[in-house]
Amino acid sequence: MIRSISAVLISGILKKCPNCGKGNIYSKYLKVNDHCIKCSEELYSYRTDDFGPWLSIIMGGHIIVPLVLWVEQDYALDLWLQALIWIPLTILTVLFLLPISKSICLSILWRLKMKNNQDNQEK
Ligand SMILES: [Zn+2]
């Protein structure tokens, strides 16, 4: 059974297996399980490389930049205070979004059946 792209993306946002939507794909913060613990779907062969970090920066930027502009326009805080607020908030936002964006990327790769074929190239 092929899952719809919307169901696969929701599984990605929830950091769940793209095949069954139930098993967690991570064993640690960014460590992808080799196989789904619920349905045994192979997960290790989908390499997201740097697309996950790239996507988390894009999403984090779209959250943080409007907030920075709003605070600057309405409150005009001192620069040292803004740096004290925005730098840690940006880092925390991106670190929060990173596993979600990596999971979304893995789900898209799974849906498109884009497995890493590096093993085949080495032979
Ligand atoms: Zn599964």
Side-chain angles (χ1 to χ4, degrees):
M1 182 180 96
I2 296 177
R3 297 183 74 207
S4 69
I5 188 69
S6 59
V8 169
L9 286 175
I10 289 170
S11 295
I13 292 168
L14 297 174
K15 299 181 278 185
K16 300 292 182 183
C17 168
N19 185 45
C20 66
K22 295 176 182 162
N24 291 327
I25 66 165
Y26 295 117
S27 59
K28 293 181 182 173
Y29 177 62
L30 287 176
K31 174 71 177 145
V32 176
N33 289 322
D34 288 344
H35 296 86
C36 174
I37 55 174
K38 298 286 184 185
C39 68
S40 300
E41 177 70 12
E42 180 184 300
L43 298 173
Y44 69 89
S45 59
Y46 298 97
R47 294 191 52 193
T48 60
D49 293 332
D50 59 349
F51 188 61
W54 176 84
L55 186 60
S56 68
I57 290 168
I58 294 293
M59 291 191 305
H62 281 84
I63 294 169
I64 295 296
V65 170
L67 290 173
V68 170
L69 294 175
W70 171 64
V71 168
E72 176 61 26
Q73 195 167 28
D74 287 4
Y75 302 102
L77 301 176
D78 290 338
L79 285 179
W80 69 267
L81 184 56
Q82 291 203 40
L84 199 65
I85 295 169
W86 298 121
I87 291 172
L89 190 62
T90 302
I91 292 169
L92 290 175
T93 301
V94 170
L95 289 176
F96 171 76
L97 291 172
L98 186 55
I100 296 170
S101 60
K102 183 175 178 176
S103 176
I104 291 170
C105 296
L106 189 142
S107 297
I108 292 170
L109 292 175
W110 178 87
R111 182 63 167 82
L112 298 174
K113 301 185 185 330
M114 295 177 68
K115 287 185 177 183
N116 179 25
N117 59 0
Q118 190 173 14
D119 294 338
N120 296 336
Q121 291 173 349
E122 290 175 359
K123 292 178 183 175

